[in-house]
């Protein structure tokens, strides 16, 4: 069984300050982990993914995430927030066992204050 | 290479009517997944299909919902006799193959409103 916990439903940051969106997971197998972003009334766009290679993963738009097995975490960070980063972010886990069946976190809404 | 296509983007139905949601996967993708996003909730897995086969429908409600992915044409998610609780955004994703490392690419979603 697998699960994802996004610890914050809402995060608010000022433009130009760092972003931290937290995600913890549980998985029976070696997981793949993803972050997706959803802008209002839009589909989901893949930001980055971890698939057992480097533990620090760099994604699009300056985002990155670090896989920490000991903490079962995959937090998303960005050094400096931009107004266009305001959106909802989903952490996703997928077991390697069997076929791909992903589990989504509940999402974190990021607000960027000018 | 066009992305995953879904239509319609918005669908309004009255209670008791049928809703048909279509998904055309990315070119070369033979695996399709449907998810439902209820207001203020994350995405919930509904069904996983390959061409002409339903692989896993463990997330589908037992009644009124069905899905298919025919040899030719788009995947269809069908909801019969819709109720207000079916109002949600329905997302389709596709991938080239299965396996945990394979990325799913999402369509823009169909937003269903049941009056």
């Amino acid at each position: 069984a697998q699960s994802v916990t996004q610890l914050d439903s809402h995060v608010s940051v000022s433009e130009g300050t760092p972003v931290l969106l937290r995600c913890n997971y549980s998985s029976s197998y070696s997981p793949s982990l993803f972050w997706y972003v959803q802008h209002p009334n839009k589909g989901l766009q893949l930001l980055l993914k971890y698939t057992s290679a480097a533990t620090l993963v760099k994604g699009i738009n300056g985002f990155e995430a670090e896989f920490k097995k000991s903490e079962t975490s995959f937090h998303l960070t960005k050094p400096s927030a931009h107004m266009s980063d305001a959106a909802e972010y989903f952490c996703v886990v997928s077991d390697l066992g069997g076929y791909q069946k992903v589990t989504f976190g509940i999402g974190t809404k990021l607000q960027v204050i000018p | 290479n066009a992305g995953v296509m879904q239509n319609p983007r918005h669908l309004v139905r009255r209670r008791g009517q049928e809703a048909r949601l279509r998904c055309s996967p990315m070119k070369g993708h033979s695996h399709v997944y449907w998810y439902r996003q209820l207001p203020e909730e994350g995405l919930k897995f509904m069904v996983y299909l390959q061409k002409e086969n339903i692989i896993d429908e463990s997330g589908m409600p037992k009644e009124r919902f069905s899905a298919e992915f025919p040899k030719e044409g788009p995947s269809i998610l069908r909801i019969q006799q819709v109720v207000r609780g079916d109002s949600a955004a329905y997302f389709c994703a596709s991938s080239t193959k299965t396996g945990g490392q394979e990325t799913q690419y999402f369509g823009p979603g169909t937003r269903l409103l049941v009056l």
Side-chain angles (χ1 to χ4, degrees), chain B residues 33-49:
Chain B
Y33 314 79
W34 284 94
Y35 297 86
R36 177 165 64 175
Q37 183 180 32
L38 292 167
E40 304 302 319
E41 294 187 20
L43 277 73
K44 304 290 186 186
F45 167 81
M46 298 182 74
V47 62
Y48 160 47
L49 311 103

Side-chain angles (χ1 to χ4, degrees), chain A residues 34-48:
Chain A
F34 307 78
W35 277 98
Y36 286 86
V37 60
Q38 183 182 25
H39 290 276
N41 296 314
K42 301 286 187 182
L44 283 85
Q45 181 183 18
L46 179 68
L47 276 179
L48 50 81

